[in-house]
PDB file of all heavy atoms in Angstrom:
ATOM      1  N   ALA A  27      19.796  13.724  -6.638  1.00 43.00           N
ATOM      2  CA  ALA A  27      19.731  14.315  -5.300  1.00 43.00           C
ATOM      3  C   ALA A  27      18.302  14.616  -4.914  1.00 43.00           C
ATOM      4  O   ALA A  27      17.865  14.327  -3.800  1.00 43.00           O
ATOM      5  CB  ALA A  27      20.563  15.598  -5.262  1.00 43.00           C
ATOM      6  N   GLY A  70     -19.809  54.115  11.160  1.00 36.00           N
ATOM      7  CA  GLY A  70     -20.336  55.217  10.362  1.00 36.00           C
ATOM      8  C   GLY A  70     -20.715  56.384  11.275  1.00 36.00           C
ATOM      9  O   GLY A  70     -20.904  56.223  12.476  1.00 36.00           O
ATOM     10  N   LEU A 108      -7.734  25.426   7.917  1.00 98.00           N
ATOM     11  CA  LEU A 108      -7.243  24.513   8.947  1.00 98.00           C
ATOM     12  C   LEU A 108      -8.430  23.774   9.557  1.00 98.00           C
ATOM     13  O   LEU A 108      -9.392  24.402  10.017  1.00 98.00           O
ATOM     14  CB  LEU A 108      -6.509  25.293  10.034  1.00 98.00           C
ATOM     15  CG  LEU A 108      -5.951  24.487  11.203  1.00 98.00           C
ATOM     16  CD1 LEU A 108      -4.860  23.545  10.719  1.00 98.00           C
ATOM     17  CD2 LEU A 108      -5.387  25.434  12.269  1.00 98.00           C
ATOM     18  N   PHE A 188     -12.507   0.385  22.389  1.00 98.00           N
ATOM     19  CA  PHE A 188     -12.330   1.286  23.524  1.00 98.00           C
ATOM     20  C   PHE A 188     -11.950   0.549  24.809  1.00 98.00           C
ATOM     21  O   PHE A 188     -12.492   0.778  25.884  1.00 98.00           O
ATOM     22  CB  PHE A 188     -13.581   2.123  23.758  1.00 98.00           C
ATOM     23  CG  PHE A 188     -13.279   3.430  24.446  1.00 98.00           C
ATOM     24  CD1 PHE A 188     -12.520   4.397  23.811  1.00 98.00           C
ATOM     25  CD2 PHE A 188     -13.754   3.698  25.721  1.00 98.00           C
ATOM     26  CE1 PHE A 188     -12.225   5.607  24.437  1.00 98.00           C
ATOM     27  CE2 PHE A 188     -13.459   4.900  26.352  1.00 98.00           C
ATOM     28  CZ  PHE A 188     -12.702   5.860  25.711  1.00 98.00           C
ATOM     29  N   GLY A 221      -0.364   6.270  -5.476  1.00 87.00           N
ATOM     30  CA  GLY A 221      -1.222   6.259  -4.295  1.00 87.00           C
ATOM     31  C   GLY A 221      -1.656   4.845  -3.984  1.00 87.00           C
ATOM     32  O   GLY A 221      -0.935   3.893  -4.249  1.00 87.00           O
TER      33      GLY A 221
END
Side-chain angles (χ1 to χ4, degrees):
L108 179 65
F188 206 66

